[in-house]
Amino acid sequence: MTQPRIRCTLEPVSGDPGAALVVLGPSLGTTTALWDEVAARLAQGFRVLRFDLPGHGFSPAARDPFTITELADAVVALVDSVGGGAFHYAGISLGGTVGLELALRHPDRLLSLAVICSGARIGTADGWRERAAQIRASGTPSVIAGSADRWFAPGFLDRDPAAGSAALERLLDVDDESYALACEALAGFDVTDRVAGIHVPTLCVAGELDQVTPLALLADLAARIPGARLATVDGAAHLPSLERPVEVAALLAAHLADREPAEAPARTTADVHRAGMTVRTAVLGEAYVDAATAKITPETADFQDFITRYAWGEVWTRPGLDRRTRSFLTIACLVTGGHEQELALHVRAALTNGLSRAEIGEAILHTAIYAGVPAANSALAVARDVFELLDAEPAADPDAASRAPTDQP
């Protein structure tokens, strides 16, 4: 079974960049945009990370089955990629089930948990399997009307047609098979008998008008989790962060204020190294990292550790720039320095980080003005060779990694 791949958006805190991290999880069929206004408010005091489910937003599509447990593990890997350590988590619907798994599977990593419009089990297994079959047969357009009824309180689409329409349009862009696989993950999710073992500070939030996960379901969940608190968002249905973002942000801010440690836990050397390995693998590919690791000798071990910790674990995980921008900068620097072997590696990495071939060409053209035409000409030849190799491969080329003698940031 292949680990599901999810991608994140990290908002740097407006104040102390060392502030605690809050991770926000989405509902099925939505993207990170679900949290736009709430994230902006929380970013006044926290670093905020949002992620897209497989096949949603900017996350790669899934073709193999995955579980909620595997999504929780993928979230931990994302956190490790931005520095590691403990974090707060809040999730809506499917995102809430991920939070419950995090609390059960990784309790040492959670500072607090907020479960919003979710439950220890949502709906029925048969219902989720039926929806998966519907999506495979007719695609996400077939659930637009039903989603509008489930997601929003009566009158919301009239009150805020732009927000509601945008959310439904994003649903149309979700990969059908990824959506179906997420339905099947929910069909297999039931931790009703396990949530009593959750011991992180927990807030359960219900939408007053939610028919999918009604107040009674959240009340039952709060009663089962030791010390959990229950809150209700008036006038909201299943997506309160979109319908009532001010109220949701206030609830989360109060919850986090109660639970915030006086000082964010310091990262250990092991944390930094683990974060570095996570980012290296995500950017350069597992095959490349495995090949580079296999070539480590006593003479190169210190250099590899240095690169992993300082380049990947410290610089590439900083919240000030996203990976896409860092790829732009890396290509420009490598073109300027004439480091063609590393440039070939990072052309591939830039594609992984979301740059198009045309954008890579633009980056090299721009660099020509400031670094020199000969350097850019050589760089374009390198990029052309990489593109030709990729076009000739039915899938990612695992042998490409072995052709590079060392790992570079």
Side-chain angles (χ1 to χ4, degrees):
M1 189 173 291
T2 303
Q3 179 75 24
R5 295 179 62 198
I6 56 180
R7 287 187 178 162
C8 66
T9 300
L10 179 66
E11 286 88 5
V13 67
S14 59
D16 179 7
L21 179 68
V22 180
V23 180
L24 303 176
S27 173
L28 176 64
T30 70
T31 69
T32 56
L34 177 67
W35 289 102
D36 278 351
E37 190 167 341
V38 173
R41 291 172 179 272
L42 291 180
Q44 299 304 307
F46 299 89
R47 289 182 301 144
V48 181
L49 181 150
R50 298 178 276 171
F51 65 90
D52 282 317
L53 296 168
H56 293 56
F58 293 105
S59 286
R63 291 295 175 263
D64 298 312
F66 57 84
T67 65
I68 302 299
T69 298
E70 289 174 313
L71 288 177
D73 290 346
V75 169
V76 171
L78 276 183
V79 172
D80 287 343
S81 77
V82 298
F87 57 95
H88 301 278
Y89 182 89
I92 296 177
S93 195
L94 187 153
T97 67
V98 172
L100 293 171
E101 278 288 2
L102 285 168
L104 290 166
R105 188 172 174 81
H106 303 282
D108 57 315
R109 300 299 297 272
L110 282 193
L111 297 171
S112 72
L113 170 65
V115 181
I116 304 172
C117 295
S118 188
R121 183 185 68 175
I122 302 176
T124 66
D126 287 344
W128 286 117
R129 294 189 188 102
E130 289 171 6
R131 193 183 308 178
Q134 176 185 353
I135 293 296
R136 289 191 175 107
S138 305
T140 56
S142 67
V143 296
I144 288 291
S147 294
D149 291 339
R150 289 188 295 268
W151 285 357
F152 307 129
F156 175 74
L157 289 175
D158 294 328
R159 186 174 73 251
D160 195 344
S165 297
L168 293 170
E169 287 172 5
R170 283 186 283 269
L171 172 59
L172 290 174
D173 293 330
V174 172
D175 175 69
D176 292 340
E177 180 62 15
S178 299
Y179 187 108
L181 291 170
C183 290
E184 290 169 345
L186 285 168
F189 178 79
D190 186 350
V191 293
T192 305
D193 295 333
R194 297 170 56 207
V195 294
I198 293 176
H199 296 290
V200 300
T202 301
L203 173 68
C204 298
V205 180
E208 177 192 15
L209 305 176
D210 187 9
Q211 300 300 310
V212 180
T213 54
L215 174 60
L217 183 66
L218 272 299
D220 179 72
L221 180 64
R224 290 173 181 270
I225 299 175
R229 295 181 295 172
L230 177 67
T232 303
V233 180
D234 294 337
H238 195 56
L239 301 182
S241 67
L242 188 66
E243 297 178 282
R244 302 287 183 182
V246 175
E247 290 87 339
V248 171
L251 279 172
L252 291 179
H255 178 58
L256 299 176
D258 286 348
R259 311 301 178 182
E260 179 62 16
E263 190 173 302
R267 289 201 298 168
T268 65
T269 299
D271 287 335
V272 176
H273 192 278
R274 182 171 60 246
M277 286 298 291
T278 300
V279 177
R280 279 178 63 194
T281 302
V283 174
L284 301 181
E286 186 174 352
Y288 179 89
V289 173
D290 286 347
T293 302
K295 293 179 180 178
I296 294 176
T297 67
E299 293 78 20
T300 64
D302 287 344
F303 177 75
Q304 289 292 323
D305 180 66
F306 171 79
I307 290 297
T308 300
R309 287 191 293 118
Y310 288 95
W312 296 108
E314 293 285 357
V315 174
W316 274 81
T317 61
R318 288 178 62 82
L321 296 173
D322 58 28
R323 291 184 193 170
R324 193 171 183 277
T325 304
R326 291 190 186 279
S327 277
F328 267 121
L329 291 172
T330 301
I331 286 174
C333 292
L334 293 174
V335 171
T336 303
H339 305 299
E340 294 181 4
Q341 185 171 342
E342 287 74 27
L343 176 61
L345 174 67
H346 276 277
V347 167
R348 285 176 174 257
L351 294 170
T352 299
N353 284 342
L355 272 67
S356 67
R357 295 185 180 192
E359 288 173 323
I360 292 170
E362 285 294 325
I364 295 173
L365 177 63
H366 188 85
T367 308
I369 300 301
Y370 298 96
V373 171
N377 188 49
S378 297
L380 285 169
V382 170
R384 180 196 62 219
D385 291 344
V386 170
F387 297 154
E388 288 177 353
L389 279 172
L390 291 172
D391 289 339
E393 296 167 359
D397 177 12
D399 295 328
S402 64
R403 294 194 286 270
T406 59
D407 182 22
Q408 299 294 327

